[in-house]
Amino acid sequence: MGKGACLLSKDGVALRIPSSIRVGLHAPRMKGNVSMFRSRRISGVLAASLLAVGGLATPAHPDGPATVGAAASDGRTVYVTNSANLGGTANVTRFAVGGSGGLKPVDGVEVGDGAGARSMVFTPELRFAYLANTAADQVVLFRIAANGALERFGMVETPGPFAMAIAPNGKTIYVSNTGTRTVSPFAVGSEGELTPLRPVDTGAKAAKGVAVTPDGRFVYVSHGSPSDIAASVMTGFAVLPDGALGREVAREKIGISGAETVITPDGRFVYVVNQGSDDVHGFRIGSHGGLTPVPGSPVGTGDFPEGAAISPDGLRLYVAAVGVAGNDPDALAGQVLGFTIGDDGRLVENVERVGMSSPIGLGFSANGRYLHVSDYTDSKINTFAVALDGELDLIQRVNSNGPRPAFHSVNVLPREDVRPRS
């Protein structure tokens, strides 16, 4: 690895700060088994500090770990769910976000031994949060304090909650029940309580990813399990006035084992990453909810893609490919990939791939300037500055403060102004 290169490895030795002021962080470009590195100008946040030891940036601020060039928290919050899939206690850790995008751990809430904590959603007025506790068969309810602290105040039971989405008006949440063929809607009360609505048969086994359109009219569900050998489907449903799910409006073939499902901010396109077929399928959403494959779909990804996120301006899709061999997520290095979303929904990969142990959860700052990526194997959170051309510059690597952050484990409390689409 050359001077100034950056590679996130399983042993955690990752970050080198170059001696030359003209050579900044190098994001790895992965081609087969070869890591390639491209020089860039050093970013402002890296120029402000630093030394890297064991993959963690030494803080310039004495009272906080690994805040790269960041001042004190400006009130923004990121929640990381640690699944404890392989033992230990699952939790939700709260991180404050500094002015330069770095994360500083604040506190955490334990949610049970091996509980499988995964997705979170928030009500639009930021009073309540909900957590899918997969192994515990629970959705956990929280109040959100003014400073972002979570106060647990209840739970509801539902089988194997995995992915969640919340209606834009905040009145309904939709929970996929992994291992079943159902989605469970819940009505959100004025004090955050959840009332179950009629569960819906999604029309295929192993309901997985779930997403609701920005206008709240349609909900889409991906399906499949990593052990599958055949392709599955995405189904779509009309949303009734009370938030319940009505008639099926779409059924389209996807790849093997659909996972995270995301919709562009303008509601025109939906994308699903497929773990077993190593690809991403994209669809145009019709005025009545029907789906039409976008040109060039599907597009290949790295090995075992599970996470996905669309930039707030709607211009780019990023995918977290975990890297799995023989059902072992620790076996191969993973990658984060970036794609441009065309006006017709076509995906073009034009961002250098970033290699790390097992990237899985992705979360954008609301202004789109930073991307936080969880690492399942190393139990770390990697924060990248997002350049105008979509390239990713690593600015920080910190502990997730719990074991094994998994699916949808990075959850950003929306507070910032969104950078407009240009």
Side-chain angles (χ1 to χ4, degrees):
M1 187 162 60
K3 179 187 280 189
C6 167
L7 178 64
L8 303 183
S9 60
K10 293 187 189 297
D11 60 8
V13 179
L15 190 61
R16 294 185 185 178
I17 302 301
S19 57
S20 168
I21 63 173
R22 294 191 63 204
V23 180
L25 184 66
H26 293 44
R29 184 177 183 180
M30 311 297 292
K31 288 190 175 180
N33 294 321
V34 179
S35 297
M36 297 167 53
F37 301 92
R38 181 173 65 85
S39 297
R40 295 197 197 100
R41 296 189 307 274
I42 188 164
S43 66
V45 288
L46 283 174
S49 36
L50 294 138
L51 171 67
V53 179
L56 296 179
T58 301
H61 212 275
D63 62 352
T67 54
V68 179
S73 168
D74 62 1
R76 291 167 290 158
T77 303
V78 172
Y79 302 98
V80 174
T81 60
N82 293 289
S83 70
N85 278 346
L86 300 182
T89 301
N91 70 44
V92 181
T93 295
R94 175 168 62 116
F95 290 85
V97 185
S100 296
L103 301 182
K104 181 178 180 178
V106 179
D107 56 24
V109 179
E110 294 185 352
V111 292
D113 292 344
R118 285 183 170 82
S119 304
M120 291 185 75
V121 293
F122 312 101
T123 54
E125 81 286 358
L126 307 182
R127 292 180 61 205
F128 305 107
Y130 304 95
L131 166 72
N133 236 11
T134 306
D137 296 328
Q138 298 173 347
V139 173
V140 183
L141 287 62
F142 299 96
R143 294 185 183 92
I144 307 173
N147 65 355
L150 297 178
E151 176 192 1
R152 183 171 178 170
F153 72 97
M155 65 87 179
V156 295
E157 294 185 350
T158 191
F162 194 78
M164 295 198 298
I166 189 165
N169 63 11
K171 294 182 178 180
T172 315
I173 66 170
Y174 303 94
V175 183
S176 67
N177 303 120
T178 186
T180 76
R181 48 189 293 149
T182 62
V183 163
S184 297
F186 293 87
V188 179
S190 59
E191 296 303 317
E193 70 276 13
L194 296 181
T195 301
L197 302 174
R198 180 179 59 87
V200 172
D201 187 327
T202 58
K205 68 176 184 177
K208 188 87 72 62
V210 60
V212 59
T213 53
D215 61 9
R217 294 178 60 210
F218 306 108
V219 167
Y220 296 93
V221 185
S222 66
H223 301 81
S225 298
S227 59
D228 290 349
I229 58 174
S232 191
V233 296
M234 175 183 289
T235 51
F237 300 88
V239 176
L240 301 177
D242 65 352
L245 296 182
R247 64 184 179 88
E248 182 179 296
V249 296
R251 174 178 292 267
E252 291 291 334
K253 182 178 178 181
I254 58 173
I256 301 172
S257 187
E260 190 146 15
T261 302
V262 290
I263 296 175
T264 53
D266 60 12
R268 296 173 62 206
F269 305 108
V270 59
Y271 299 92
V272 56
V273 293
N274 303 289
Q275 298 162 307
S277 50
D278 298 339
D279 56 20
V280 54
H281 280 65
F283 301 93
R284 176 185 292 274
I285 301 173
S287 59
H288 298 289
L291 299 178
T292 303
V294 301
S297 179
V299 174
T301 65
D303 186 78
F304 206 84
E306 184 164 341
I310 292 174
S311 57
D313 60 13
L315 293 175
R316 297 182 186 277
L317 170 72
Y318 291 83
V319 172
V322 180
V324 173
N327 206 31
D328 180 5
D330 300 345
L332 297 175
Q335 302 170 20
V336 177
L337 302 83
F339 301 85
T340 296
I341 301 174
D343 288 339
D344 58 358
R346 182 192 300 269
L347 297 179
V348 176
E349 185 181 359
N350 58 2
V351 173
E352 291 189 4
R353 297 187 180 189
V354 176
M356 63 183 73
S357 292
S358 302
I360 189 164
L362 302 170
F364 270 100
S365 63
N367 65 6
R369 295 189 180 99
Y370 304 101
L371 179 63
H372 309 286
V373 183
S374 61
D375 192 310
Y376 178 79
T377 297
D378 292 347
S379 297
K380 303 283 187 183
I381 305 298
N382 304 283
T383 295
F384 297 88
V386 183
L388 291 178
D389 63 358
E391 298 290 346
L392 301 178
D393 285 314
L394 179 70
I395 62 171
Q396 187 198 45
R397 180 166 162 84
V398 297
N399 292 327
S400 67
N401 276 18
R404 301 277 179 164
F407 176 83
H408 209 292
S409 49
V410 179
N411 303 273
V412 180
L413 193 67
R415 286 188 182 273
E416 304 168 82
D417 294 331
V418 177
R419 184 167 59 191
R421 183 174 182 135
S422 56

